Amino acid sequence: MQDARPSLQLTQPNARVRLGIKKWLEIKRGQDFIELLAWASVVAVVAMFLINGGLKEINSLAAGLTALDRLTALIATNLLLIDILLVSRIPWLDHYYGHDRVTAAHKKLGKPILYLVLAHFVASVWQYSIAENKNLVDEFFAMITSVSDLLTGSIALVFMILVVVTSLNFARKAVTYEAWYLIHIFAYGAVLLAIPHQFSVGTDIAGKPISLTYWISLYLFVLANVVWYRIAKPVIRAMRSNLRVAKVVRESSDTASVYLSGKNVAKFGGSAGQFYMLRPLTPSQWYRPHPFSISAAPNDKFVRFTIGARGDDTALLQNIKPGTPVLLEGPYGVFTEDRRTKEKVVLIASGIGIPPIRALAESMAARPGDVTIIYRVRNDQDASLLAEITEIARRRGFALHVLSGKRAIGTSWMNADPLGRTDQDRLMQMAPAIKDSDVYVCGPVAWTRSVERSLAVAGTPAHQIHTEEYAW
Ligand SMILES: Cc1cc2nc3c(=O)[nH]c(=O)nc-3n(C[C@H](O)[C@H](O)[C@H](O)COP(=O)(O)OP(=O)(O)OC[C@H]3O[C@@H](n4cnc5c(N)ncnc54)[C@H](O)[C@@H]3O)c2cc1C
């Protein structure tokens, strides 16, 4: 093998790593505890509702609607606050679930919350319309014009509907990421707008010290997490580190590496395989952060991202000027050695999935022969970071398989094989110990699913398969 980059500076790999199933079981226990807390909070608000006589004297339609109005409002607000916590990028949630699972849970909760809020809205207007003998429309206008907190509460509902609708799969395809992101920022506004009516007209809170303490504590806890992790911490760190673009290096015809340097870059910490939200502090881009995985193991000289041109912002980033100040939020994700349980490791990347795989290959605690790298590329003459990964494999005694060129059949995740072998046979030949290995997979979503199917057939247990999806 040729010495592709003789001058390539690599950080020392991790000296040791804790292996074994115990680690995985500890994570499962942590997840169980977090889920128990979340369920307990829902049970607590239902219990407070019952203790406050929520189901007493339901002897008419109006009384039934009042109970429904109160209960749906309480559960919806509790779930909404949990849902906001899920997108606060809190390190302890990220540690136990990983960014993609937390985001998936956040998405899943959106619709039930909206249905509960709509039920609360309809039940409350309906019950007052019965009491005041008005039709629903007249009653609604009477409510929002006479009680100002109800007007803000109704505006909050409109924002909430907008957020959920734009997050549905069909709508996601129609809106850009930036539009979707801005609408989501409005969701935070929506929650703020809805708070006053909960305290001023909410019969389950006003004058009830236990309920009041519970809700104020929950709001403050969520607010503290959002403000600290999403705003204050990244801003303070940016000011301290004065992080700037040091240089941009072309890696292939459509990828470039952006090197960042500043004071104490080592303090950015994190692990190989993690990603940051990168926010160039320029007039046109400061409000458009994008996620990128570090493409070199953390070190005290630079933070590096390798960026493929996929759209408008990634094209701009490939030409970002040295000296541009940037803000990093993170690190996020559990696509790291922290999740490893086995001695043998297989790293599988396709296309622009290579950055975290390249960083993992550099930092893995491993003996020669422990690690197998499989890199799927369209063209090995123009593959991003191939020279570096070749050099890492050579220095550390890892096996490297570059699968270059078109695939033979649509369902294959490999290139066409001159010997006509199946993906399964080739995988077993490249990584005979795949069943007993931790496997890290990064690439397009459909391709990743295909690899996962092969791994399942090969008998690799699900907890040994780690994926990072470039999806939002
Ligand atoms: C955890 C994670 C790690 C990533 N690491 C890398 C990396 O190391 N190198 C790299 O080149 N790319 C990486 N990506 C993908 C990268 O973030 C997107 O390609 C980029 O945000 C596209 O921005 P754009 O404005 O140029 O594209 P757009 O024109 O907005 O869209 C182009 C494509 O990128 C998708 N996209 C847009 N914004 C995002 C976003 N914020 N998150 C995910 N997908 C998006 C769109 O759905 C579309 O398919 C990563 C994504 C995630 C989620």
Side-chain angles (χ1 to χ4, degrees):
M1 205 176 289
Q2 271 206 330
D3 199 353
R5 284 202 177 186
S7 61
L8 181 66
Q9 303 255 321
L10 299 177
T11 46
Q12 281 298 313
N14 294 333
R16 44 173 53 210
V17 58
R18 189 157 76 93
L19 301 175
I21 192 82
K22 209 169 151 213
K23 191 158 112 175
W24 183 67
L25 294 174
E26 281 166 11
I27 289 167
K28 290 292 296 168
R29 268 204 297 276
Q31 291 176 349
D32 289 346
F33 181 68
I34 291 171
E35 283 155 40
L36 184 76
L37 277 185
W39 282 112
S41 70
V42 178
V43 171
V45 294
V46 175
M48 283 186 262
F49 166 77
L50 294 175
I51 291 166
N52 290 335
L55 290 185
K56 271 194 199 140
E57 291 174 27
I58 299 189
N59 47 17
S60 65
L61 176 61
L65 288 170
T66 308
L68 182 68
D69 165 25
R70 286 166 59 188
L71 188 59
T72 47
L74 291 169
I75 300 178
T77 313
N78 201 77
L79 291 181
L80 187 63
L81 289 169
I82 292 178
D83 211 29
I84 292 179
L85 267 189
L86 291 174
V87 277
S88 307
R89 308 215 179 98
I90 307 171
W92 49 267
L93 275 180
D94 197 59
H95 169 75
Y96 284 108
Y97 292 95
H99 178 75
D100 33 10
R101 277 189 70 192
V102 174
T103 310
H106 164 79
K107 272 196 233 168
K108 225 174 174 177
L109 260 184
K111 269 203 236 168
I113 293 172
L114 179 65
Y115 296 149
L116 284 165
V117 174
L118 284 173
H120 158 65
F121 171 77
V122 171
S124 82
V125 178
W126 194 353
Q127 52 143 325
Y128 282 111
S129 77
I130 294 172
E132 294 178 9
N133 207 12
K134 286 190 182 140
N135 69 44
L136 288 175
V137 178
D138 287 349
E139 181 56 45
F140 171 64
F141 283 107
M143 284 167 78
I144 59 170
T145 47
S146 57
V147 187
S148 63
D149 289 352
L150 290 184
L151 175 63
T152 50
S154 305
I155 297 172
L157 175 64
V158 174
F159 279 131
M160 247 177 242
I161 294 174
L162 204 64
V163 166
V164 174
V165 170
T166 52
S167 297
L168 297 177
N169 280 344
F170 79 90
R172 263 166 184 263
K173 290 187 185 127
V175 296
T176 62
Y177 171 77
E178 288 82 17
W180 170 87
Y181 182 81
L182 277 180
I183 292 166
H184 255 67
I185 294 285
F186 281 119
Y188 291 111
V191 175
L192 291 180
L193 285 176
I195 295 173
H197 92 284
Q198 192 189 359
F199 287 91
S200 61
V201 295
T203 42
D204 285 278
I205 299 177
K208 311 229 164 44
I210 297 181
S211 299
L212 195 65
T213 312
Y214 172 81
W215 284 106
I216 291 180
S217 316
L218 189 59
Y219 270 110
L220 288 179
F221 179 66
V222 174
L223 187 75
N225 275 289
V226 173
V227 171
W228 177 246
Y229 290 115
R230 290 215 66 162
I231 305 167
K233 199 173 166 202
V235 170
I236 293 171
R237 209 167 42 173
M239 286 184 339
R240 281 199 188 140
S241 62
N242 191 20
L243 213 57
R244 283 171 191 274
V245 174
K247 59 178 177 176
V248 178
V249 175
R250 187 137 289 283
E251 300 286 359
S252 72
S253 57
D254 62 355
T255 64
S257 286
V258 176
Y259 288 74
L260 308 179
S261 65
K263 271 189 251 157
N264 301 326
V265 274
K267 284 226 166 122
F268 275 86
S271 313
Q274 287 194 298
F275 69 95
Y276 286 89
M277 298 299 291
L278 172 67
R279 195 188 287 266
L281 297 176
T282 61
S284 61
Q285 286 193 290
W286 67 268
Y287 59 93
R288 291 152 69 161
H290 288 282
F292 296 105
S293 309
I294 47 173
S295 63
N299 59 71
D300 56 6
K301 296 188 186 62
F302 58 81
V303 178
R304 187 181 77 167
F305 301 105
T306 301
I307 298 176
R310 284 180 80 188
D312 45 358
D313 284 339
T314 38
L316 282 175
L317 281 167
Q318 294 199 340
N319 295 303
I320 194 166
K321 281 204 190 89
T324 306
V326 296
L327 197 145
L328 287 188
E329 293 159 47
Y332 304 122
V334 289
F335 192 66
T336 63
E337 197 172 6
D338 198 38
R339 285 291 199 263
R340 176 176 167 196
T341 56
K342 297 285 178 184
E343 264 185 43
K344 298 272 183 215
V345 173
V346 181
L347 304 173
I348 309 181
S350 170
I352 197 58
I354 194 65
I357 294 291
R358 145 73 178 82
L360 281 168
E362 180 180 358
S363 77
M364 279 273 163
R367 291 181 297 242
D370 276 350
V371 176
T372 300
I373 306 166
I374 301 175
Y375 186 13
R376 174 79 179 94
V377 297
R378 270 189 314 240
N379 168 3
D380 56 7
Q381 302 303 307
D382 190 31
S384 194
L385 303 176
L386 180 57
E388 286 190 12
I389 206 124
T390 305
E391 177 62 8
I392 293 171
R394 186 188 72 79
R395 285 194 206 171
R396 303 212 44 210
F398 298 164
L400 172 65
H401 303 274
V402 180
L403 309 180
S404 171
K406 288 200 173 127
R407 55 188 169 182
I409 49 164
T411 51
S412 168
W413 56 273
M414 297 189 182
N415 59 340
D417 180 32
L419 303 176
R421 291 165 299 175
T422 62
D423 285 3
Q424 213 62 38
D425 288 344
R426 292 171 75 190
L427 177 65
M428 294 311 293
Q429 276 164 13
M430 287 185 270
I434 193 93
K435 195 173 153 192
D436 210 22
S437 306
D438 273 276
V439 188
Y440 292 77
V441 188
C442 189
V445 176
W447 176 89
T448 304
R449 292 286 162 276
S450 232
V451 179
E452 281 178 320
R453 278 192 291 275
S454 280
L455 294 172
V457 173
T460 311
H463 71 267
Q464 285 166 222
I465 303 172
H466 318 278
T467 59
E468 186 68 280
E469 288 179 6
Y470 290 177
W472 52 281

